[in-house]
Amino acid sequence: MPKLSVKDVDVSNRKVLVRVDFNVPTEEKDGRVSITDDTRIRETLPTIQDLLGRKASVILMAHFGRPKGAPVPKYSLKPVAERLAELLEAPVQFSPETIGEIAEQRVKSLQPGEVLLLENVRFHNDEEANAPAFAKALARLGDVYVNDAFGAAHRAHASTAGVADHVTVAATGLLMEKELKYLQGELASPAKPFVVILGGSKVSDKIGVIKALMEKADTFLIGGAMAYTFYRALGIPTGNSRVEKDKVDLAHEILALAKEKGVKFMLPVDNIETQEIKAGTTTARNTQRLTTERGIADGYEAVDIGRETIELYRKEIAGAQTILWNGPVGIFEIPDFATGTVSLARALAESDATTIIGGGDSVTAVKQAGLADRMTFISTGGGASLELLEGKVLPGVAALHDQD
Ligand code: ADP
Ligand code: MG
């Protein structure tokens, strides 16, 4: 059942309480907190502007950092209110309280077409505990609840889920809809061939995704540290590469499942390997084809996919109609080991396929490569996107009201 959309709610002259994801990366210098990447704030603008245009009073709530249930000045949302005002080119009022008398007064005097941001919901323990009294106090601040915080939708907290039980209208925001459209709708019956690129540090993080997508994908392109747990399962030497020993059986199982389903499950045929994880240590062993006899050398650790693998993967990408990418294929934080990740990002940018990027580090990698605007869709949620891809129900979505 599709969820009620904010688009279908009459919001004019009503107080609309919107949960947004303002959990932005910051930097502290000389006691001043500055925002280093305002993507998440920008992504909420369509919903906020739509509401303002329809003469709603917009009350925003969000979490920021991990203040552990008490007010911590460096986790105040005040700097976010300032940045939002710049982006909206309109004043943004701020309530130093999340709930309570001051918050209620500010809400009361808020006019149609005006915006108010409440202080960090996580200044209250009751937020993460999803305490009904706190959820109720939040609900009192609005006539309509809208959840646009996709990045927090995998958490059943008071502001993301509990609050919906205490309002008469609970709808999805525009960003939430876009995330669900791509990560759920588009991937429910993807245009084929459907290629899934999976990397990152651990197989264990991605098992759910592999299993869920095994039903739909034509090809998996595996990279990152997880590749070497599969090597181990195949008896290929892994040197000092990261291997999750307790997941080797599972790797076996996945390989067998792929075979059974006729899914192409590709592992790197060559790798960049190094004795030390730092720049300038790349060895010359990087273009030799791996065989079962000759895997990663003793004393060496695989840190990126090799040149031949990049070529093989690029061919698969070029032939795809839908591509989902989660997890960098090497330690991309170190430029020497970013070649694989950047090359695949380029291949995606050049492809005509629908390209969907999910996962915090994969998104960072694509942005670093300067290719973000060449992708069809980039998710704002790391954990939430993984859970959705695993086929899980997100509590923050489930709590919203169904469409009539
Ligand atoms: P995402 O956030 O996109 O889901 P993950 O968090 O699963 O991705 O993994 C990202 C991390 O994986 C990066 O910090 C990267 O350095 C690491 N990584 C990638 N390849 C390797 C490798 N071969 N060895 C060790 N770590 C790796
Ligand atoms: Mg990550």
Side-chain angles (χ1 to χ4, degrees), residues 377-389:
F377 180 68
I378 293 193
S379 177
T380 55
S385 63
L386 268 185
E387 292 199 16
L388 198 59
L389 293 173

Side-chain angles (χ1 to χ4, degrees), residues 301-317:
E301 175 171 354
V303 289
D304 195 6
I305 58 173
R307 221 184 286 171
E308 193 174 339
T309 306
I310 292 173
E311 279 321 305
L312 289 171
Y313 285 10
R314 283 175 67 92
K315 276 194 196 115
E316 297 295 328
I317 290 167

Side-chain angles (χ1 to χ4, degrees), residues 17-203:
L17 180 66
V18 189
R19 177 55 157 100
V20 286
D21 182 3
F22 280 168
N23 196 24
V24 288
T26 53
E27 203 174 59
E28 221 183 323
K29 240 194 224 152
D30 311 322
R32 261 193 71 87
V33 177
S34 61
I35 297 161
T36 53
D37 180 353
D38 62 6
T39 306
R40 283 183 162 159
I41 305 176
R42 288 173 189 277
E43 295 277 0
T44 62
L45 295 178
T47 298
I48 298 172
Q49 280 162 337
D50 167 65
L51 291 169
L52 294 176
R54 290 194 281 150
K55 296 282 167 269
S57 302
V58 179
I59 302 125
L60 302 171
M61 57 178 173
H63 80 276
F64 182 38
R66 295 177 187 277
K68 307 218 171 86
V72 178
K74 74 167 174 179
Y75 293 128
S76 170
L77 277 169
K78 190 96 203 295
V80 173
E82 288 160 17
R83 177 62 63 91
L84 176 63
E86 286 167 21
L87 294 172
L88 278 174
E89 296 178 16
V92 172
Q93 301 176 36
F94 184 73
S95 165
E97 278 185 2
T98 318
I99 54 165
E101 223 169 280
I102 298 178
E104 285 182 24
Q105 263 166 21
R106 303 254 157 125
V107 166
K108 209 167 161 193
S109 59
L110 194 68
Q111 299 302 307
E114 290 184 346
V115 189
L116 169 73
L117 174 62
L118 304 172
E119 184 56 286
N120 194 344
V121 288
R122 287 201 188 162
F123 282 0
H124 296 258
N125 260 325
D126 287 348
E127 161 66 1
E128 292 186 65
N130 195 5
F134 184 65
K136 230 175 182 164
L138 290 172
R140 274 234 303 269
L141 301 173
D143 309 315
V144 171
Y145 169 69
V146 170
N147 192 354
D148 212 22
F150 176 74
H154 57 317
R155 307 276 183 234
H157 295 166
S159 68
T160 59
V163 61
D165 293 339
H166 307 286
V167 293
T168 47
V169 181
T172 54
L174 302 178
L175 172 62
M176 179 73 87
E177 278 165 34
K178 199 163 76 167
E179 295 273 1
L180 296 174
K181 173 182 168 213
Y182 283 103
L183 295 173
Q184 204 169 45
E186 195 89 19
L187 296 183
S189 47
K192 300 258 193 171
F194 176 30
V195 172
V196 178
I197 308 170
L198 282 181
S201 47
K202 292 194 206 142
V203 191

